[in-house]
Amino acid sequence: VSNIVRRLNNVFRFVEPNETNANAFGHEIRQVLMLAAMEVESSLRAVLVSNGYAKALSNPDRLTMKDYVVLADPMRLREWRLVLDAHPDMGELAPFETWDAQKPTESLPWYRAYNAAKHDRETNFSQATLRHAVSAVAAAFISVLAQYGEFDVRHFLGMDDFRQTHIPDFTLSDNYVPPHVAGGNPVWRYVKYFS
């Protein structure tokens, strides 16, 4: 994700990130949108595999947004809010806020734009906007944050371009924590989300 954030920051050298330019589009903006959306898919696929989601185990290359949307509630993806720290004019970002299980692709504007620009660039190139690219990068950032927590993301990836304006209130039992060591052996209690 940190490499995608760097590419987004490179776009900002040429297109000022503010509401006036939110509908700007171009080849590099499209590339950022593509990379960020694929990173979201990859991150969510890893969570499904780790948690025993049947289709992810049997056919991980065939997962779609209909599969990924099952993570919206346990990862509380709709609740995360961010701002670009150096570019607050882009406004508050909540890229999963509208995610609907009945319309999992259509309900995410940035993902719908990614799909359109990926499958028919000639017709849908103008959908790969700065707004959608920024939202997709925010979604990739959130998908990693929701999986690993803020400390790991900031400490190990050095990602401090985004600032959270709202973080879901996870209970301790909802978090990954280091194993308790009893008699020198870590004690893990695996909780399988999907059966």
Side-chain angles (χ1 to χ4, degrees):
V1 177
S2 57
N3 286 331
I4 299 168
V5 172
R6 278 194 282 279
R7 284 189 79 154
L8 180 63
N9 281 322
N10 191 50
V11 167
F12 293 163
R13 292 177 54 223
F14 303 97
V15 181
E16 182 63 26
N18 62 38
E19 195 56 37
T20 303
N21 295 330
N23 291 322
F25 62 94
H27 290 285
E28 186 60 19
I29 294 171
R30 179 183 177 271
Q31 285 302 107
V32 170
L33 173 62
M34 297 293 133
L35 291 170
M38 287 186 287
E39 186 65 28
V40 170
E41 292 172 334
S42 179
S43 181
L44 297 181
R45 180 181 303 111
V47 173
L48 290 175
V49 168
S50 294
N51 285 281
Y53 186 73
K55 186 175 175 184
L57 298 175
S58 66
N59 204 352
D61 294 335
R62 294 291 180 198
L63 295 173
T64 69
M65 290 305 266
K66 289 178 185 175
D67 300 296
Y68 301 135
V69 75
V70 301
L71 294 172
D73 289 335
M75 294 176 75
R76 300 179 58 193
L77 295 171
R78 294 180 192 97
E79 297 176 43
W80 294 85
R81 306 282 183 277
L82 309 171
V83 292
L84 276 166
D85 231 8
H87 307 286
D89 291 345
M90 283 303 292
E92 189 172 57
L93 305 165
F96 292 107
E97 180 178 42
T98 58
W99 209 3
D100 180 353
Q102 301 304 311
K103 302 175 287 180
T105 298
E106 299 80 21
S107 61
L108 296 177
W110 59 269
Y111 194 84
R112 188 176 58 239
Y114 154 71
N115 245 357
K118 177 178 77 171
H119 293 297
D120 186 358
R121 186 186 71 183
E122 297 303 316
T123 304
N124 299 312
F125 186 53
S126 64
Q127 291 189 40
T129 65
L130 183 64
R131 177 190 323 278
H132 293 314
V134 169
S135 292
V137 174
F141 186 79
I142 288 169
S143 67
V144 173
L145 269 177
Q147 185 175 5
Y148 296 108
E150 182 176 9
F151 176 78
D152 285 340
V153 170
R154 294 197 186 283
H155 181 71
F156 295 112
L157 298 179
M159 293 174 48
D160 56 3
D161 293 85
F162 291 100
R163 179 175 40 85
Q164 295 91 343
T165 55
H166 179 76
I167 302 169
D169 187 20
F170 289 102
T171 65
L172 187 58
S173 64
D174 290 332
N175 287 280
Y176 288 127
V177 294
H180 172 68
V181 177
N185 295 318
V187 177
W188 283 99
R189 185 173 64 90
Y190 179 71
V191 177
K192 193 172 182 179
Y193 191 78
F194 301 104
S195 48

